[in-house]
Amino acid sequence: MSTQAVMRALRKNKTLRYGVPMLVLIVGGSFGLREFSQIRYDAVKIKIDPELEKKLKMNKVSLESEYEVNGNDYQCRRKLFTLNSMVLGQLTM
Protein backbone atom coordinates (compact mmCIF):
# COMPACT_ATOMS: atom_id res chain seq x y z
CA MET A 1 0.00 0.00 0.00
CA SER A 2 1.18 3.45 -0.73
CA THR A 3 1.34 6.22 1.81
CA GLN A 4 -1.56 8.04 0.21
CA ALA A 5 -3.79 4.98 0.51
CA VAL A 6 -2.99 4.63 4.21
CA MET A 7 -3.68 8.32 4.87
CA ARG A 8 -7.00 8.07 2.98
CA ALA A 9 -7.99 5.03 5.05
CA LEU A 10 -7.12 6.84 8.30
CA ARG A 11 -9.16 9.91 7.28
CA LYS A 12 -12.20 7.76 6.56
CA ASN A 13 -11.96 5.84 9.84
CA LYS A 14 -14.66 7.32 12.13
CA THR A 15 -13.04 6.00 15.30
CA LEU A 16 -9.87 7.97 14.65
CA ARG A 17 -11.78 10.98 13.41
CA TYR A 18 -14.30 11.31 16.26
CA GLY A 19 -13.38 8.83 18.98
CA VAL A 20 -9.76 9.77 19.62
CA PRO A 21 -10.45 13.53 20.03
CA MET A 22 -13.32 12.67 22.39
CA LEU A 23 -11.09 10.47 24.54
CA VAL A 24 -8.39 13.16 24.58
CA LEU A 25 -10.97 15.70 25.84
CA ILE A 26 -12.26 13.36 28.54
CA VAL A 27 -8.83 12.37 29.85
CA GLY A 28 -7.40 15.88 29.51
CA GLY A 29 -10.48 17.37 31.18
CA SER A 30 -10.14 15.09 34.17
CA PHE A 31 -6.53 16.22 34.67
CA GLY A 32 -7.59 19.86 34.31
CA LEU A 33 -10.43 19.49 36.80
CA ARG A 34 -8.10 17.82 39.26
CA GLU A 35 -5.73 20.78 39.13
CA PHE A 36 -8.51 23.35 39.54
CA SER A 37 -10.13 21.52 42.43
CA GLN A 38 -6.75 21.19 44.15
CA ILE A 39 -6.48 25.00 44.28
CA ARG A 40 -9.40 25.10 46.72
CA TYR A 41 -7.68 22.75 49.15
CA ASP A 42 -4.34 24.52 48.81
CA ALA A 43 -5.95 27.88 49.61
CA VAL A 44 -7.27 26.54 52.93
CA LYS A 45 -3.77 25.50 53.99
CA ILE A 46 -2.32 29.01 53.53
CA LYS A 47 -1.72 30.71 56.87
CA ILE A 48 -2.72 34.35 57.36
CA ASP A 49 -0.29 36.82 58.89
CA PRO A 50 -1.05 37.06 62.66
CA GLU A 51 -1.26 40.87 62.57
CA LEU A 52 -3.78 40.76 59.73
CA GLU A 53 -5.78 38.10 61.55
CA LYS A 54 -5.97 40.35 64.65
CA LYS A 55 -7.21 43.26 62.55
CA LEU A 56 -9.86 41.10 60.93
CA LYS A 57 -11.10 39.85 64.30
CA MET A 58 -11.27 43.39 65.72
CA ASN A 59 -13.36 44.75 62.85
CA LYS A 60 -16.53 42.77 63.46
CA VAL A 61 -19.49 44.18 61.56
CA SER A 62 -23.04 43.46 62.59
CA LEU A 63 -26.43 44.84 61.67
CA GLU A 64 -26.65 46.62 64.99
CA SER A 65 -23.33 48.37 64.39
CA GLU A 66 -24.37 49.50 60.92
CA TYR A 67 -27.85 50.75 61.77
CA GLU A 68 -29.10 53.07 64.53
CA VAL A 69 -32.41 52.22 66.12
CA ASN A 70 -34.89 55.06 66.59
CA GLY A 71 -38.00 53.43 68.00
CA ASN A 72 -39.17 51.01 65.32
CA ASP A 73 -37.27 52.89 62.64
CA TYR A 74 -33.80 51.84 61.48
CA GLN A 75 -31.52 54.43 59.90
CA CYS A 76 -28.25 53.65 58.20
CA ARG A 77 -25.26 55.25 59.96
CA ARG A 78 -23.13 55.30 56.83
CA LYS A 79 -23.69 57.78 54.07
CA LEU A 80 -23.57 55.70 50.93
CA PHE A 81 -23.14 57.57 47.71
CA THR A 82 -25.20 55.90 45.08
CA LEU A 83 -26.00 57.07 41.61
CA ASN A 84 -29.48 58.11 42.73
CA SER A 85 -28.23 60.20 45.66
CA MET A 86 -25.66 61.90 43.46
CA VAL A 87 -28.29 62.72 40.84
CA LEU A 88 -30.76 63.93 43.47
CA GLY A 89 -28.00 65.92 45.16
CA GLN A 90 -27.13 67.65 41.91
CA LEU A 91 -30.78 68.45 41.22
CA THR A 92 -31.31 70.07 44.63
CA MET A 93 -28.09 72.16 44.53
Side-chain angles (χ1 to χ4, degrees), residues 20-58:
V20 172
M22 183 68 167
L23 287 175
V24 168
L25 283 174
I26 291 171
V27 172
S30 69
F31 282 110
L33 285 175
R34 184 184 67 190
E35 293 299 320
F36 282 116
S37 63
Q38 187 65 37
I39 292 171
R40 177 176 64 174
Y41 298 114
D42 291 342
V44 172
K45 293 178 185 177
I46 296 174
K47 298 291 181 189
I48 298 176
D49 185 33
E51 293 176 19
L52 178 63
E53 194 171 359
K54 268 191 235 177
K55 287 180 183 178
L56 289 173
K57 285 182 180 179
M58 287 174 41

PDB file of all heavy atoms in Angstrom, residues 20-58:
ATOM      1  N   VAL A  20     -11.025   9.389  18.992  1.00  0.00           N
ATOM      2  CA  VAL A  20      -9.763   9.774  19.617  1.00  0.00           C
ATOM      3  C   VAL A  20      -9.822  11.200  20.173  1.00  0.00           C
ATOM      4  O   VAL A  20      -9.431  11.416  21.324  1.00  0.00           O
ATOM      5  CB  VAL A  20      -8.578   9.580  18.638  1.00  0.00           C
ATOM      6  CG1 VAL A  20      -7.302  10.146  19.208  1.00  0.00           C
ATOM      7  CG2 VAL A  20      -8.419   8.104  18.304  1.00  0.00           C
ATOM      8  N   PRO A  21     -10.340  12.188  19.438  1.00  0.00           N
ATOM      9  CA  PRO A  21     -10.452  13.527  20.035  1.00  0.00           C
ATOM     10  C   PRO A  21     -11.366  13.548  21.264  1.00  0.00           C
ATOM     11  O   PRO A  21     -11.089  14.256  22.235  1.00  0.00           O
ATOM     12  CB  PRO A  21     -11.025  14.393  18.921  1.00  0.00           C
ATOM     13  CG  PRO A  21     -10.645  13.705  17.681  1.00  0.00           C
ATOM     14  CD  PRO A  21     -10.657  12.241  18.007  1.00  0.00           C
ATOM     15  N   MET A  22     -12.421  12.736  21.243  1.00  0.00           N
ATOM     16  CA  MET A  22     -13.324  12.673  22.394  1.00  0.00           C
ATOM     17  C   MET A  22     -12.599  12.100  23.613  1.00  0.00           C
ATOM     18  O   MET A  22     -12.738  12.619  24.717  1.00  0.00           O
ATOM     19  CB  MET A  22     -14.541  11.812  22.044  1.00  0.00           C
ATOM     20  CG  MET A  22     -15.550  11.741  23.124  1.00  0.00           C
ATOM     21  SD  MET A  22     -16.297  13.346  23.293  1.00  0.00           S
ATOM     22  CE  MET A  22     -17.684  12.937  24.293  1.00  0.00           C
ATOM     23  N   LEU A  23     -11.845  11.049  23.431  1.00  0.00           N
ATOM     24  CA  LEU A  23     -11.085  10.473  24.540  1.00  0.00           C
ATOM     25  C   LEU A  23     -10.023  11.431  25.058  1.00  0.00           C
ATOM     26  O   LEU A  23      -9.794  11.528  26.269  1.00  0.00           O
ATOM     27  CB  LEU A  23     -10.434   9.159  24.115  1.00  0.00           C
ATOM     28  CG  LEU A  23     -11.386   7.977  23.968  1.00  0.00           C
ATOM     29  CD1 LEU A  23     -10.646   6.770  23.416  1.00  0.00           C
ATOM     30  CD2 LEU A  23     -12.021   7.649  25.295  1.00  0.00           C
ATOM     31  N   VAL A  24      -9.397  12.177  24.160  1.00  0.00           N
ATOM     32  CA  VAL A  24      -8.395  13.159  24.583  1.00  0.00           C
ATOM     33  C   VAL A  24      -9.058  14.237  25.438  1.00  0.00           C
ATOM     34  O   VAL A  24      -8.517  14.657  26.469  1.00  0.00           O
ATOM     35  CB  VAL A  24      -7.681  13.771  23.357  1.00  0.00           C
ATOM     36  CG1 VAL A  24      -6.855  14.991  23.745  1.00  0.00           C
ATOM     37  CG2 VAL A  24      -6.808  12.735  22.681  1.00  0.00           C
ATOM     38  N   LEU A  25     -10.251  14.696  25.047  1.00  0.00           N
ATOM     39  CA  LEU A  25     -10.967  15.701  25.840  1.00  0.00           C
ATOM     40  C   LEU A  25     -11.369  15.164  27.206  1.00  0.00           C
ATOM     41  O   LEU A  25     -11.256  15.865  28.214  1.00  0.00           O
ATOM     42  CB  LEU A  25     -12.212  16.179  25.091  1.00  0.00           C
ATOM     43  CG  LEU A  25     -11.972  17.165  23.967  1.00  0.00           C
ATOM     44  CD1 LEU A  25     -13.270  17.424  23.213  1.00  0.00           C
ATOM     45  CD2 LEU A  25     -11.415  18.454  24.504  1.00  0.00           C
ATOM     46  N   ILE A  26     -11.830  13.931  27.261  1.00  0.00           N
ATOM     47  CA  ILE A  26     -12.262  13.357  28.538  1.00  0.00           C
ATOM     48  C   ILE A  26     -11.070  13.187  29.482  1.00  0.00           C
ATOM     49  O   ILE A  26     -11.119  13.586  30.642  1.00  0.00           O
ATOM     50  CB  ILE A  26     -12.978  12.016  28.302  1.00  0.00           C
ATOM     51  CG1 ILE A  26     -14.316  12.261  27.619  1.00  0.00           C
ATOM     52  CG2 ILE A  26     -13.168  11.262  29.605  1.00  0.00           C
ATOM     53  CD1 ILE A  26     -15.012  11.012  27.144  1.00  0.00           C
ATOM     54  N   VAL A  27      -9.999  12.605  28.998  1.00  0.00           N
ATOM     55  CA  VAL A  27      -8.832  12.374  29.848  1.00  0.00           C
ATOM     56  C   VAL A  27      -8.160  13.698  30.209  1.00  0.00           C
ATOM     57  O   VAL A  27      -7.815  13.941  31.370  1.00  0.00           O
ATOM     58  CB  VAL A  27      -7.837  11.415  29.154  1.00  0.00           C
ATOM     59  CG1 VAL A  27      -6.546  11.312  29.931  1.00  0.00           C
ATOM     60  CG2 VAL A  27      -8.472  10.048  28.980  1.00  0.00           C
ATOM     61  N   GLY A  28      -8.006  14.575  29.243  1.00  0.00           N
ATOM     62  CA  GLY A  28      -7.404  15.884  29.515  1.00  0.00           C
ATOM     63  C   GLY A  28      -8.262  16.720  30.453  1.00  0.00           C
ATOM     64  O   GLY A  28      -7.744  17.425  31.316  1.00  0.00           O
ATOM     65  N   GLY A  29      -9.585  16.637  30.301  1.00  0.00           N
ATOM     66  CA  GLY A  29     -10.481  17.370  31.180  1.00  0.00           C
ATOM     67  C   GLY A  29     -10.407  16.890  32.611  1.00  0.00           C
ATOM     68  O   GLY A  29     -10.484  17.686  33.555  1.00  0.00           O
ATOM     69  N   SER A  30     -10.235  15.592  32.799  1.00  0.00           N
ATOM     70  CA  SER A  30     -10.140  15.088  34.166  1.00  0.00           C
ATOM     71  C   SER A  30      -8.866  15.583  34.839  1.00  0.00           C
ATOM     72  O   SER A  30      -8.870  15.924  36.019  1.00  0.00           O
ATOM     73  CB  SER A  30     -10.187  13.564  34.178  1.00  0.00           C
ATOM     74  OG  SER A  30      -9.009  13.022  33.621  1.00  0.00           O
ATOM     75  N   PHE A  31      -7.769  15.672  34.091  1.00  0.00           N
ATOM     76  CA  PHE A  31      -6.530  16.219  34.667  1.00  0.00           C
ATOM     77  C   PHE A  31      -6.695  17.703  34.973  1.00  0.00           C
ATOM     78  O   PHE A  31      -6.234  18.194  35.996  1.00  0.00           O
ATOM     79  CB  PHE A  31      -5.341  16.005  33.717  1.00  0.00           C
ATOM     80  CG  PHE A  31      -4.823  14.611  33.752  1.00  0.00           C
ATOM     81  CD1 PHE A  31      -5.011  13.763  32.671  1.00  0.00           C
ATOM     82  CD2 PHE A  31      -4.138  14.140  34.860  1.00  0.00           C
ATOM     83  CE1 PHE A  31      -4.528  12.469  32.688  1.00  0.00           C
ATOM     84  CE2 PHE A  31      -3.642  12.848  34.895  1.00  0.00           C
ATOM     85  CZ  PHE A  31      -3.847  12.008  33.803  1.00  0.00           C
ATOM     86  N   GLY A  32      -7.365  18.433  34.083  1.00  0.00           N
ATOM     87  CA  GLY A  32      -7.585  19.859  34.311  1.00  0.00           C
ATOM     88  C   GLY A  32      -8.470  20.110  35.516  1.00  0.00           C
ATOM     89  O   GLY A  32      -8.190  20.984  36.333  1.00  0.00           O
ATOM     90  N   LEU A  33      -9.545  19.336  35.653  1.00  0.00           N
ATOM     91  CA  LEU A  33     -10.426  19.492  36.805  1.00  0.00           C
ATOM     92  C   LEU A  33      -9.714  19.156  38.097  1.00  0.00           C
ATOM     93  O   LEU A  33      -9.956  19.780  39.132  1.00  0.00           O
ATOM     94  CB  LEU A  33     -11.663  18.615  36.644  1.00  0.00           C
ATOM     95  CG  LEU A  33     -12.694  19.117  35.651  1.00  0.00           C
ATOM     96  CD1 LEU A  33     -13.803  18.091  35.491  1.00  0.00           C
ATOM     97  CD2 LEU A  33     -13.269  20.438  36.095  1.00  0.00           C
ATOM     98  N   ARG A  34      -8.848  18.181  38.057  1.00  0.00           N
ATOM     99  CA  ARG A  34      -8.099  17.819  39.262  1.00  0.00           C
ATOM    100  C   ARG A  34      -7.232  18.982  39.721  1.00  0.00           C
ATOM    101  O   ARG A  34      -7.166  19.297  40.904  1.00  0.00           O
ATOM    102  CB  ARG A  34      -7.239  16.596  38.992  1.00  0.00           C
ATOM    103  CG  ARG A  34      -6.506  16.117  40.249  1.00  0.00           C
ATOM    104  CD  ARG A  34      -5.596  14.985  39.958  1.00  0.00           C
ATOM    105  NE  ARG A  34      -4.510  15.486  39.106  1.00  0.00           N
ATOM    106  CZ  ARG A  34      -3.635  14.728  38.511  1.00  0.00           C
ATOM    107  NH1 ARG A  34      -3.705  13.423  38.611  1.00  0.00           N
ATOM    108  NH2 ARG A  34      -2.673  15.244  37.775  1.00  0.00           N
ATOM    109  N   GLU A  35      -6.585  19.644  38.778  1.00  0.00           N
ATOM    110  CA  GLU A  35      -5.726  20.775  39.126  1.00  0.00           C
ATOM    111  C   GLU A  35      -6.546  21.938  39.687  1.00  0.00           C
ATOM    112  O   GLU A  35      -6.162  22.562  40.668  1.00  0.00           O
ATOM    113  CB  GLU A  35      -4.930  21.246  37.911  1.00  0.00           C
ATOM    114  CG  GLU A  35      -3.908  20.253  37.433  1.00  0.00           C
ATOM    115  CD  GLU A  35      -2.853  19.943  38.478  1.00  0.00           C
ATOM    116  OE1 GLU A  35      -2.416  20.868  39.183  1.00  0.00           O
ATOM    117  OE2 GLU A  35      -2.477  18.765  38.591  1.00  0.00           O
ATOM    118  N   PHE A  36      -7.689  22.239  39.076  1.00  0.00           N
ATOM    119  CA  PHE A  36      -8.508  23.354  39.544  1.00  0.00           C
ATOM    120  C   PHE A  36      -9.139  23.057  40.901  1.00  0.00           C
ATOM    121  O   PHE A  36      -9.263  23.947  41.733  1.00  0.00           O
ATOM    122  CB  PHE A  36      -9.593  23.711  38.527  1.00  0.00           C
ATOM    123  CG  PHE A  36      -9.067  24.508  37.376  1.00  0.00           C
ATOM    124  CD1 PHE A  36      -9.085  23.995  36.098  1.00  0.00           C
ATOM    125  CD2 PHE A  36      -8.537  25.772  37.574  1.00  0.00           C
ATOM    126  CE1 PHE A  36      -8.598  24.725  35.028  1.00  0.00           C
ATOM    127  CE2 PHE A  36      -8.045  26.517  36.511  1.00  0.00           C
ATOM    128  CZ  PHE A  36      -8.077  25.991  35.236  1.00  0.00           C
ATOM    129  N   SER A  37      -9.549  21.834  41.137  1.00  0.00           N
ATOM    130  CA  SER A  37     -10.131  21.518  42.433  1.00  0.00           C
ATOM    131  C   SER A  37      -9.066  21.477  43.524  1.00  0.00           C
ATOM    132  O   SER A  37      -9.358  21.736  44.689  1.00  0.00           O
ATOM    133  CB  SER A  37     -10.884  20.190  42.386  1.00  0.00           C
ATOM    134  OG  SER A  37     -10.009  19.128  42.094  1.00  0.00           O
ATOM    135  N   GLN A  38      -7.825  21.203  43.177  1.00  0.00           N
ATOM    136  CA  GLN A  38      -6.748  21.191  44.151  1.00  0.00           C
ATOM    137  C   GLN A  38      -6.451  22.600  44.662  1.00  0.00           C
ATOM    138  O   GLN A  38      -6.029  22.765  45.804  1.00  0.00           O
ATOM    139  CB  GLN A  38      -5.491  20.573  43.535  1.00  0.00           C
ATOM    140  CG  GLN A  38      -4.369  20.363  44.512  1.00  0.00           C
ATOM    141  CD  GLN A  38      -4.723  19.353  45.586  1.00  0.00           C
ATOM    142  OE1 GLN A  38      -5.400  18.372  45.323  1.00  0.00           O
ATOM    143  NE2 GLN A  38      -4.270  19.595  46.789  1.00  0.00           N
ATOM    144  N   ILE A  39      -6.709  23.611  43.868  1.00  0.00           N
ATOM    145  CA  ILE A  39      -6.483  25.000  44.277  1.00  0.00           C
ATOM    146  C   ILE A  39      -7.303  25.322  45.519  1.00  0.00           C
ATOM    147  O   ILE A  39      -6.830  26.002  46.424  1.00  0.00           O
ATOM    148  CB  ILE A  39      -6.821  25.956  43.115  1.00  0.00           C
ATOM    149  CG1 ILE A  39      -5.820  25.778  41.993  1.00  0.00           C
ATOM    150  CG2 ILE A  39      -6.840  27.407  43.591  1.00  0.00           C
ATOM    151  CD1 ILE A  39      -6.185  26.515  40.726  1.00  0.00           C
ATOM    152  N   ARG A  40      -8.533  24.831  45.583  1.00  0.00           N
ATOM    153  CA  ARG A  40      -9.398  25.099  46.722  1.00  0.00           C
ATOM    154  C   ARG A  40      -8.784  24.551  48.009  1.00  0.00           C
ATOM    155  O   ARG A  40      -8.774  25.220  49.036  1.00  0.00           O
ATOM    156  CB  ARG A  40     -10.773  24.475  46.485  1.00  0.00           C
ATOM    157  CG  ARG A  40     -11.708  24.651  47.642  1.00  0.00           C
ATOM    158  CD  ARG A  40     -13.069  24.116  47.336  1.00  0.00           C
ATOM    159  NE  ARG A  40     -13.002  22.681  47.117  1.00  0.00           N
ATOM    160  CZ  ARG A  40     -14.066  21.931  46.942  1.00  0.00           C
ATOM    161  NH1 ARG A  40     -15.252  22.471  46.929  1.00  0.00           N
ATOM    162  NH2 ARG A  40     -13.948  20.634  46.770  1.00  0.00           N
ATOM    163  N   TYR A  41      -8.256  23.358  47.962  1.00  0.00           N
ATOM    164  CA  TYR A  41      -7.683  22.749  49.154  1.00  0.00           C
ATOM    165  C   TYR A  41      -6.346  23.399  49.521  1.00  0.00           C
ATOM    166  O   TYR A  41      -6.005  23.498  50.695  1.00  0.00           O
ATOM    167  CB  TYR A  41      -7.514  21.249  48.963  1.00  0.00           C
ATOM    168  CG  TYR A  41      -8.833  20.558  48.741  1.00  0.00           C
ATOM    169  CD1 TYR A  41      -9.138  19.959  47.530  1.00  0.00           C
ATOM    170  CD2 TYR A  41      -9.802  20.544  49.729  1.00  0.00           C
ATOM    171  CE1 TYR A  41     -10.352  19.341  47.324  1.00  0.00           C
ATOM    172  CE2 TYR A  41     -11.024  19.928  49.536  1.00  0.00           C
ATOM    173  CZ  TYR A  41     -11.292  19.326  48.335  1.00  0.00           C
ATOM    174  OH  TYR A  41     -12.495  18.730  48.134  1.00  0.00           O
ATOM    175  N   ASP A  42      -5.602  23.835  48.528  1.00  0.00           N
ATOM    176  CA  ASP A  42      -4.340  24.519  48.806  1.00  0.00           C
ATOM    177  C   ASP A  42      -4.580  25.884  49.446  1.00  0.00           C
ATOM    178  O   ASP A  42      -3.812  26.326  50.290  1.00  0.00           O
ATOM    179  CB  ASP A  42      -3.523  24.685  47.525  1.00  0.00           C
ATOM    180  CG  ASP A  42      -3.003  23.361  47.005  1.00  0.00           C
ATOM    181  OD1 ASP A  42      -2.969  22.384  47.787  1.00  0.00           O
ATOM    182  OD2 ASP A  42      -2.641  23.298  45.813  1.00  0.00           O
ATOM    183  N   ALA A  43      -5.653  26.559  49.056  1.00  0.00           N
ATOM    184  CA  ALA A  43      -5.951  27.878  49.605  1.00  0.00           C
ATOM    185  C   ALA A  43      -6.317  27.792  51.080  1.00  0.00           C
ATOM    186  O   ALA A  43      -6.039  28.716  51.844  1.00  0.00           O
ATOM    187  CB  ALA A  43      -7.089  28.521  48.826  1.00  0.00           C
ATOM    188  N   VAL A  44      -6.916  26.698  51.520  1.00  0.00           N
ATOM    189  CA  VAL A  44      -7.274  26.536  52.926  1.00  0.00           C
ATOM    190  C   VAL A  44      -6.023  26.373  53.780  1.00  0.00           C
ATOM    191  O   VAL A  44      -5.973  26.817  54.929  1.00  0.00           O
ATOM    192  CB  VAL A  44      -8.222  25.327  53.092  1.00  0.00           C
ATOM    193  CG1 VAL A  44      -8.462  25.007  54.545  1.00  0.00           C
ATOM    194  CG2 VAL A  44      -9.531  25.590  52.376  1.00  0.00           C
ATOM    195  N   LYS A  45      -4.997  25.770  53.236  1.00  0.00           N
ATOM    196  CA  LYS A  45      -3.773  25.500  53.986  1.00  0.00           C
ATOM    197  C   LYS A  45      -2.905  26.742  54.197  1.00  0.00           C
ATOM    198  O   LYS A  45      -2.039  26.742  55.055  1.00  0.00           O
ATOM    199  CB  LYS A  45      -2.947  24.441  53.260  1.00  0.00           C
ATOM    200  CG  LYS A  45      -3.592  23.084  53.241  1.00  0.00           C
ATOM    201  CD  LYS A  45      -2.733  22.107  52.474  1.00  0.00           C
ATOM    202  CE  LYS A  45      -3.426  20.777  52.336  1.00  0.00           C
ATOM    203  NZ  LYS A  45      -2.637  19.840  51.531  1.00  0.00           N
ATOM    204  N   ILE A  46      -3.145  27.804  53.425  1.00  0.00           N
ATOM    205  CA  ILE A  46      -2.321  29.008  53.530  1.00  0.00           C
ATOM    206  C   ILE A  46      -2.616  29.703  54.852  1.00  0.00           C
ATOM    207  O   ILE A  46      -3.759  29.939  55.215  1.00  0.00           O
ATOM    208  CB  ILE A  46      -2.593  29.958  52.347  1.00  0.00           C
ATOM    209  CG1 ILE A  46      -2.170  29.303  51.051  1.00  0.00           C
ATOM    210  CG2 ILE A  46      -1.879  31.285  52.550  1.00  0.00           C
ATOM    211  CD1 ILE A  46      -2.538  30.098  49.817  1.00  0.00           C
ATOM    212  N   LYS A  47      -1.576  30.037  55.580  1.00  0.00           N
ATOM    213  CA  LYS A  47      -1.716  30.707  56.865  1.00  0.00           C
ATOM    214  C   LYS A  47      -1.738  32.221  56.658  1.00  0.00           C
ATOM    215  O   LYS A  47      -0.976  32.771  55.861  1.00  0.00           O
ATOM    216  CB  LYS A  47      -0.549  30.352  57.796  1.00  0.00           C
ATOM    217  CG  LYS A  47      -0.484  28.886  58.126  1.00  0.00           C
ATOM    218  CD  LYS A  47      -1.646  28.497  58.988  1.00  0.00           C
ATOM    219  CE  LYS A  47      -1.539  27.016  59.335  1.00  0.00           C
ATOM    220  NZ  LYS A  47      -2.694  26.512  59.982  1.00  0.00           N
ATOM    221  N   ILE A  48      -2.610  32.894  57.424  1.00  0.00           N
ATOM    222  CA  ILE A  48      -2.719  34.346  57.363  1.00  0.00           C
ATOM    223  C   ILE A  48      -1.734  34.943  58.355  1.00  0.00           C
ATOM    224  O   ILE A  48      -1.485  34.388  59.420  1.00  0.00           O
ATOM    225  CB  ILE A  48      -4.157  34.787  57.695  1.00  0.00           C
ATOM    226  CG1 ILE A  48      -5.128  34.224  56.672  1.00  0.00           C
ATOM    227  CG2 ILE A  48      -4.277  36.297  57.745  1.00  0.00           C
ATOM    228  CD1 ILE A  48      -6.572  34.528  56.977  1.00  0.00           C
ATOM    229  N   ASP A  49      -1.198  36.092  58.014  1.00  0.00           N
ATOM    230  CA  ASP A  49      -0.293  36.821  58.892  1.00  0.00           C
ATOM    231  C   ASP A  49      -1.002  37.111  60.219  1.00  0.00           C
ATOM    232  O   ASP A  49      -2.154  37.551  60.210  1.00  0.00           O
ATOM    233  CB  ASP A  49       0.113  38.132  58.208  1.00  0.00           C
ATOM    234  CG  ASP A  49       1.143  38.898  58.992  1.00  0.00           C
ATOM    235  OD1 ASP A  49       1.973  38.252  59.650  1.00  0.00           O
ATOM    236  OD2 ASP A  49       1.125  40.140  58.920  1.00  0.00           O
ATOM    237  N   PRO A  50      -0.381  36.858  61.373  1.00  0.00           N
ATOM    238  CA  PRO A  50      -1.054  37.058  62.665  1.00  0.00           C
ATOM    239  C   PRO A  50      -1.555  38.479  62.889  1.00  0.00           C
ATOM    240  O   PRO A  50      -2.618  38.683  63.474  1.00  0.00           O
ATOM    241  CB  PRO A  50       0.020  36.700  63.696  1.00  0.00           C
ATOM    242  CG  PRO A  50       0.983  35.843  62.974  1.00  0.00           C
ATOM    243  CD  PRO A  50       0.944  36.269  61.540  1.00  0.00           C
ATOM    244  N   GLU A  51      -0.810  39.495  62.408  1.00  0.00           N
ATOM    245  CA  GLU A  51      -1.262  40.872  62.569  1.00  0.00           C
ATOM    246  C   GLU A  51      -2.530  41.124  61.769  1.00  0.00           C
ATOM    247  O   GLU A  51      -3.466  41.781  62.246  1.00  0.00           O
ATOM    248  CB  GLU A  51      -0.166  41.829  62.130  1.00  0.00           C
ATOM    249  CG  GLU A  51       1.051  41.810  63.017  1.00  0.00           C
ATOM    250  CD  GLU A  51       2.140  42.710  62.484  1.00  0.00           C
ATOM    251  OE1 GLU A  51       1.831  43.597  61.665  1.00  0.00           O
ATOM    252  OE2 GLU A  51       3.286  42.527  62.907  1.00  0.00           O
ATOM    253  N   LEU A  52      -2.589  40.601  60.564  1.00  0.00           N
ATOM    254  CA  LEU A  52      -3.781  40.765  59.733  1.00  0.00           C
ATOM    255  C   LEU A  52      -4.961  40.030  60.348  1.00  0.00           C
ATOM    256  O   LEU A  52      -6.085  40.530  60.332  1.00  0.00           O
ATOM    257  CB  LEU A  52      -3.499  40.251  58.322  1.00  0.00           C
ATOM    258  CG  LEU A  52      -4.657  40.308  57.335  1.00  0.00           C
ATOM    259  CD1 LEU A  52      -5.088  41.751  57.103  1.00  0.00           C
ATOM    260  CD2 LEU A  52      -4.267  39.656  56.031  1.00  0.00           C
ATOM    261  N   GLU A  53      -4.709  38.863  60.911  1.00  0.00           N
ATOM    262  CA  GLU A  53      -5.777  38.100  61.547  1.00  0.00           C
ATOM    263  C   GLU A  53      -6.358  38.858  62.738  1.00  0.00           C
ATOM    264  O   GLU A  53      -7.568  38.863  62.950  1.00  0.00           O
ATOM    265  CB  GLU A  53      -5.232  36.743  61.980  1.00  0.00           C
ATOM    266  CG  GLU A  53      -6.305  35.752  62.350  1.00  0.00           C
ATOM    267  CD  GLU A  53      -5.735  34.365  62.561  1.00  0.00           C
ATOM    268  OE1 GLU A  53      -4.520  34.165  62.396  1.00  0.00           O
ATOM    269  OE2 GLU A  53      -6.526  33.482  62.906  1.00  0.00           O
ATOM    270  N   LYS A  54      -5.501  39.539  63.518  1.00  0.00           N
ATOM    271  CA  LYS A  54      -5.974  40.345  64.646  1.00  0.00           C
ATOM    272  C   LYS A  54      -6.857  41.481  64.169  1.00  0.00           C
ATOM    273  O   LYS A  54      -7.910  41.758  64.745  1.00  0.00           O
ATOM    274  CB  LYS A  54      -4.788  40.933  65.408  1.00  0.00           C
ATOM    275  CG  LYS A  54      -4.307  40.096  66.548  1.00  0.00           C
ATOM    276  CD  LYS A  54      -3.325  40.908  67.368  1.00  0.00           C
ATOM    277  CE  LYS A  54      -2.039  40.128  67.465  1.00  0.00           C
ATOM    278  NZ  LYS A  54      -0.988  40.838  68.186  1.00  0.00           N
ATOM    279  N   LYS A  55      -6.419  42.147  63.098  1.00  0.00           N
ATOM    280  CA  LYS A  55      -7.210  43.263  62.554  1.00  0.00           C
ATOM    281  C   LYS A  55      -8.567  42.789  62.065  1.00  0.00           C
ATOM    282  O   LYS A  55      -9.578  43.465  62.237  1.00  0.00           O
ATOM    283  CB  LYS A  55      -6.456  43.943  61.421  1.00  0.00           C
ATOM    284  CG  LYS A  55      -5.294  44.771  61.877  1.00  0.00           C
ATOM    285  CD  LYS A  55      -4.595  45.413  60.694  1.00  0.00           C
ATOM    286  CE  LYS A  55      -3.381  46.193  61.129  1.00  0.00           C
ATOM    287  NZ  LYS A  55      -2.668  46.782  59.995  1.00  0.00           N
ATOM    288  N   LEU A  56      -8.598  41.627  61.431  1.00  0.00           N
ATOM    289  CA  LEU A  56      -9.862  41.098  60.927  1.00  0.00           C
ATOM    290  C   LEU A  56     -10.804  40.742  62.062  1.00  0.00           C
ATOM    291  O   LEU A  56     -12.018  40.941  61.975  1.00  0.00           O
ATOM    292  CB  LEU A  56      -9.616  39.875  60.047  1.00  0.00           C
ATOM    293  CG  LEU A  56      -8.974  40.137  58.696  1.00  0.00           C
ATOM    294  CD1 LEU A  56      -8.637  38.821  58.018  1.00  0.00           C
ATOM    295  CD2 LEU A  56      -9.876  40.966  57.825  1.00  0.00           C
ATOM    296  N   LYS A  57     -10.264  40.216  63.161  1.00  0.00           N
ATOM    297  CA  LYS A  57     -11.105  39.851  64.301  1.00  0.00           C
ATOM    298  C   LYS A  57     -11.620  41.080  65.025  1.00  0.00           C
ATOM    299  O   LYS A  57     -12.713  41.066  65.577  1.00  0.00           O
ATOM    300  CB  LYS A  57     -10.332  38.953  65.264  1.00  0.00           C
ATOM    301  CG  LYS A  57     -10.168  37.551  64.755  1.00  0.00           C
ATOM    302  CD  LYS A  57      -9.456  36.675  65.750  1.00  0.00           C
ATOM    303  CE  LYS A  57      -9.314  35.268  65.195  1.00  0.00           C
ATOM    304  NZ  LYS A  57      -8.602  34.392  66.124  1.00  0.00           N
ATOM    305  N   MET A  58     -10.854  42.171  65.031  1.00  0.00           N
ATOM    306  CA  MET A  58     -11.271  43.386  65.720  1.00  0.00           C
ATOM    307  C   MET A  58     -12.366  44.121  64.970  1.00  0.00           C
ATOM    308  O   MET A  58     -13.210  44.779  65.567  1.00  0.00           O
ATOM    309  CB  MET A  58     -10.072  44.321  65.919  1.00  0.00           C
ATOM    310  CG  MET A  58      -9.127  43.827  66.986  1.00  0.00           C
ATOM    311  SD  MET A  58      -7.622  44.787  67.157  1.00  0.00           S
ATOM    312  CE  MET A  58      -8.163  46.469  66.994  1.00  0.00           C
TER     313      MET A  58
END
